[in-house]
Amino acid sequence: MERRPDLDEHLFRRESGRMVAALTRIFGLHNLALAEDVVQDAFCRALEVWKVRGVPENPSAWLMATAKNRALDVVRRERTARTFAPELSRRLETGWTTAAIVDEAFSPAIRDEQLRMMFSCCHPRLPEEAQVALILNILCGFGASEIAGAFLTGRAAIEKRISRGKRVLATSKRLFDLADAEFRPRLAAVRRALYLLFNEGYHGASAESAVRAELCREAMRLTALLGEHPPAAGPETSALAALMSLHAARLPARVDAGGDLSPLADQERSRWDSRLVAQGLALLERSAAGPEVTAYHVEAAIAAAHAGARSVDEADWESIVSLYDRLMAVAPSPVVALNRAIAIAQRDGPERGLEEIHAIEGRERLKSYPFYPAAMGDLELRRGNRQAAREHFSAALALARNPTERRFLEKRSRACECASGSERGPGGDLS
Amino acid sequence: MSEFVYLFRASEAEQREAMGTPERAQRSMQVWMAWIRDLEAKGHLKDRGQPLERGGKVVRGRKKVVTDGPYAEAKDLVLGFIIVEARDLAQAVELSAGCPMLEGGGSVEIRPVMRSPS
């Protein structure tokens, strides 16, 4: 019996984004649904053929070639009935260049088309959450229910968000032009969307760690794509890539053997991915090339400070606190303030940390964030105030968004009953 | 042992539903491949058959009228076939129970291959 290659676990998701991007370049952004149809059709054909003959030697190439043939069919058949991408229309009308145009869009990397699609998704008329949902749907091949699962939102709401977003995209017939004057502001929006995508994976509410790791991986893949395109590369993109790498390095240790969330203090640092740490540090160095220090720079520097320490106690909390001061200056938010307070507690003791927490401006915005009362619980426990700690943990428990968080907080809550409470490092969301 | 042809049928809508999102496509592919692999491992897969295009032509009657395959709107388009070896029709039916086609709302038509008298 011949050996057939196994099916790559994410083949269809990965190829979907590339195929839709290439097809949209030909059909135009207003025909996004047509592009998605062609991709679906290619998948159906793949199923019919592969299920009996097995997976071909190069499945990506097989899918691309199939989509390409279908694209040619569509353009030839509907040339008079439809308008395709405006920049190609004259060439498409003449007919003899159709094959060349299709070939061009399907050039091996399809890198530019994916980039252009990413920029298209970050349309200024769309709220950030819609931009992220579109990127996940179009470029990462996530269906509405998968996105809903990752964001703990109803499927109907996500479907609405996506279809509304696609209507906005369709107002422009062509994919975003990377030479456009709008490039700079749009680039900032793209980085922001990728940052949010990564954070959703890293801190998000979804219980499934596999889904979350997948979101982080996709954010890193797309950020790497930005980094390969000179006008989109540059210090700020490097800083973003650095912070993703340095955080992603900790992912393997973030969940312990029992499937429970493991805070930074308890993580087995030997399980951090040293390759990603090294990559993150190299990117951070590269990000220092410019005069600007952005929030991404500071967040990456904080992650680097953790990556360089052998344990929580050996971390340079003096520098970490001053980095948080800096972060509060460039991108203030109650969550940043909370993490800064936790760092101060680490440097100066739990009382100082609690004072800082009580002084957080806009802390009412943290009222549904479980790690806010959990942080106070940790600090109260560390100063031996078990009763107060217990109350904070039960408040946190009531806010838990999924079973993983619930188990984590229950464990912290139980610590009030047994431990002297002094051996704990920072809890909070410093994981 | 006797031979049976499995004809896989589904409407285009059912087929698209099974492949609706990349993740679903991936799952469909995995279960199909596992099912085929299992048939093969147990020695029931006689022939991998051929996948069929959806479109085609139909030639009918003495006048040899050629029409486009009525397939696009057909409820149960034949998508392909395989040939299975089984003891009898009962076992052939039993073997088809795990066919992913059925999960997607499609059907498997099982037809014994006619044998010449020995």
Side-chain angles (χ1 to χ4, degrees):
Chain A
M1 205 166 64
E2 55 188 312
R3 263 299 282 146
R4 287 191 159 76
D6 284 328
L7 191 59
D8 179 318
E9 195 189 348
H10 298 296
L11 177 75
F12 287 86
R13 264 205 330 82
R14 207 182 48 227
E15 296 307 326
S16 164
R18 284 157 43 88
M19 289 156 81
V20 170
L23 290 163
T24 308
R25 159 142 165 87
I26 303 166
F27 296 161
L29 204 43
H30 54 301
N31 286 317
L32 184 58
L34 179 65
E36 289 173 331
D37 264 3
V38 168
V39 170
Q40 216 190 12
D41 187 67
F43 288 167
C44 287
R45 301 179 78 83
L47 176 65
E48 295 312 319
V49 177
W50 300 3
K51 72 185 183 195
V52 288
R53 293 192 200 146
V55 181
E57 204 54 46
N58 185 344
S60 313
W62 194 102
L63 286 170
M64 286 298 159
T66 303
K68 216 160 116 175
N69 291 338
R70 307 303 293 163
L72 271 173
D73 285 349
V74 167
V75 171
R76 285 183 181 139
R77 197 176 58 226
E78 303 198 24
R79 186 174 306 162
T80 48
R82 271 188 204 259
T83 56
F84 292 109
E87 70 256 54
L88 300 178
S89 59
R90 192 163 331 135
R91 287 168 68 196
L92 282 172
E93 272 159 26
T94 55
W96 60 272
T97 46
T98 306
I101 291 167
V102 171
D103 269 341
E104 200 177 287
F106 277 89
S107 63
I110 316 186
R111 204 180 57 199
D112 283 5
E113 283 68 29
Q114 288 186 88
L115 269 181
R116 293 177 65 186
M117 183 63 92
M118 230 192 295
F119 278 71
S120 290
C121 288
C122 293
H123 197 287
R125 266 178 51 207
L126 291 170
E128 280 174 346
E129 71 226 24
Q131 299 174 1
V132 174
L134 283 179
I135 288 178
L136 272 174
N137 178 242
I138 300 174
L139 281 144
C140 311
F142 280 74
S145 54
E146 288 134 24
I147 299 174
F151 286 73
L152 285 194
T153 314
R155 182 187 163 144
I158 295 288
E159 268 170 357
K160 211 157 150 197
R161 198 178 287 173
I162 291 173
S163 61
R164 203 180 290 156
K166 283 180 178 170
R167 275 201 298 280
V168 171
L169 294 195
T171 57
S172 151
K173 290 190 171 178
R174 54 192 292 176
L175 284 172
F176 186 84
D177 184 348
L178 297 175
D180 195 283
E182 280 296 295
F183 180 78
R184 285 279 140 203
R186 198 63 83 92
L187 174 59
V190 169
R191 275 195 294 249
R192 171 87 187 150
L194 296 179
Y195 173 78
L196 292 174
L197 174 56
F198 184 87
N199 270 359
E200 192 55 43
Y202 196 77
H203 294 290
S206 167
E208 265 189 79
S209 57
V211 173
R212 302 184 22 174
E214 203 38 41
L215 295 185
C216 291
R217 241 194 310 274
E218 284 298 318
M220 290 172 78
R221 175 177 75 86
L222 296 175
T223 305
L225 222 54
L226 277 187
E228 288 166 16
H229 182 75
E236 197 169 353
T237 299
S238 299
L240 176 61
L243 94 83
M244 288 181 183
S245 301
L246 290 166
H247 278 98
R250 295 188 217 150
L251 278 175
R254 219 172 161 248
V255 174
D256 67 18
D260 287 341
L261 211 55
S262 182
L264 187 57
D266 296 348
Q267 285 173 17
E268 267 179 67
R269 297 190 174 211
S270 60
R271 287 175 63 202
W272 288 3
D273 185 329
S274 56
R275 192 190 56 86
L276 279 175
V277 170
Q279 178 183 308
L281 293 175
L283 283 162
L284 187 58
E285 202 159 303
R286 203 177 311 156
S287 78
E292 227 184 340
V293 178
T294 66
Y296 303 137
H297 284 88
V298 184
E299 283 194 47
I302 293 171
H306 288 303
R310 268 179 303 177
S311 71
V312 160
D313 292 328
E314 281 178 49
D316 180 357
W317 289 100
E318 189 68 49
S319 327
I320 293 175
V321 169
S322 63
L323 285 168
Y324 272 115
D325 287 339
R326 193 124 186 218
L327 192 54
M328 279 303 283
V330 288
S333 84
V335 172
V336 171
L338 178 63
N339 283 321
R340 176 178 168 275
I342 294 168
I344 287 174
Q346 203 59 29
R347 187 189 63 181
D348 303 333
E351 285 81 8
R352 279 282 300 119
L354 283 163
E355 277 169 38
E356 290 291 338
I357 289 183
H358 291 304
I360 292 175
E361 237 175 278
R363 66 202 196 102
E364 65 283 352
R365 278 167 56 203
L366 293 171
K367 70 176 190 297
S368 60
Y369 184 53
F371 293 103
Y372 168 58
M376 291 194 282
D378 271 323
L379 296 181
E380 290 291 1
L381 191 59
R382 276 170 62 196
R383 66 201 276 238
N385 197 346
R386 282 197 216 181
Q387 183 49 36
R390 206 175 288 135
E391 282 161 24
H392 286 308
F393 282 126
S394 61
L397 207 48
L399 295 172
R401 296 166 292 184
N402 62 52
T404 313
E405 281 182 4
R406 200 162 303 124
R407 277 200 311 277
F408 171 75
L409 293 166
E410 273 163 2
K411 214 158 144 194
R412 298 299 305 128
S413 189
R414 275 198 303 277
C416 302
E417 311 309 325
C418 45
S420 63
S422 57
E423 86 289 3
R424 285 284 313 180
D429 201 14
L430 271 184
S431 49
Chain B
M1 291 298 250
S2 306
E3 290 177 15
F4 298 87
V5 174
Y6 282 15
L7 290 171
F8 302 122
R9 295 174 186 269
S11 68
E12 197 176 339
E14 283 159 356
Q15 196 191 11
R16 281 191 176 253
E17 176 60 25
M19 304 301 275
T21 66
E23 211 72 349
R24 244 185 290 155
Q26 188 93 27
R27 267 198 306 276
S28 299
M29 184 70 83
Q30 275 156 350
V31 289
W32 261 106
M33 290 177 38
W35 183 67
I36 295 276
R37 213 176 295 136
D38 188 52
L39 278 182
E40 191 172 35
K42 291 180 178 148
H44 290 294
L45 190 66
K46 172 77 182 173
D47 191 308
R48 296 179 159 270
Q50 294 293 349
L52 302 176
E53 289 283 351
R54 273 177 229 134
K57 296 283 183 191
V58 177
V59 187
R60 192 172 275 124
R62 221 173 285 148
K63 286 190 178 158
K64 302 180 179 57
V65 180
V66 180
T67 51
D68 282 341
Y71 307 130
E73 63 280 1
K75 269 224 145 353
D76 55 349
L77 195 62
V78 176
L79 295 171
F81 66 92
I82 59 172
I83 302 174
V84 164
E85 244 178 349
R87 251 189 341 266
D88 48 27
L89 187 57
Q91 193 192 23
V93 169
E94 203 182 295
L95 289 172
S96 75
C99 178
M101 199 81 214
L102 306 169
E103 298 305 314
S107 67
V108 184
E109 183 176 322
I110 302 163
R111 304 285 296 273
V113 174
M114 221 181 260
R115 272 194 294 196
S116 301
S118 45

